[in-house]
Amino acid sequence: MGKSRYAPLVKLKKKSLDTAERALIGANNTLSSASDKLNHAYEELSRMSLPTKGSVGEFTQATAMIHAQHQSIESYQQALQIAQEKQVQMRERFKAAMIDFEKFKYLEVQEMNAQLKQLKDQEAKMLDEIGTMTYKREVL
């Protein structure tokens, strides 16, 4: 049985699907990393406190550190939001690639089944001919 005319397209769509899958995995990893960084920044902030005793310089330094941590948290929140948007885009891209691959794979299977049916029909006709020829020989 020959190759399907859809085989090259299936191969191409499979490559596209694999590329989309790798991109989705990368987006998931980036999202996980951004989430971990944000959680770590919140933990750091929860450990910080303003001094109740000491000089004004220590108070100013502690306030500056807390302020810097808040800025870091805002930065990580933005990075997390961007990573979430990227993950949604990659998920949609993967879904579209999967649908394309499945369509062409289905067409390939249908064509192969049609070829198989045609071969079976040809084989049945040949067997009928052989049977008819054998019967005529026996009768004569």
Side-chain angles (χ1 to χ4, degrees), residues 48-51 55-68:
M48 293 181 179
S49 63
L50 292 175
S55 68
V56 175
E58 289 175 5
F59 180 78
T60 305
Q61 183 182 13
T63 304
M65 287 177 61
I66 290 173
H67 180 67

Side-chain angles (χ1 to χ4, degrees), residues 13-44:
K13 295 299 179 179
K14 178 65 174 150
K15 274 186 178 179
S16 176
L17 177 64
D18 291 344
T19 301
E21 184 178 21
R22 283 191 300 276
L24 178 59
I25 290 170
N28 287 339
N29 290 340
T30 302
L31 178 63
S32 176
S33 174
S35 179
D36 289 345
K37 287 178 183 178
L38 181 61
N39 289 336
H40 182 69
Y42 274 123
E43 288 173 13
E44 287 289 321

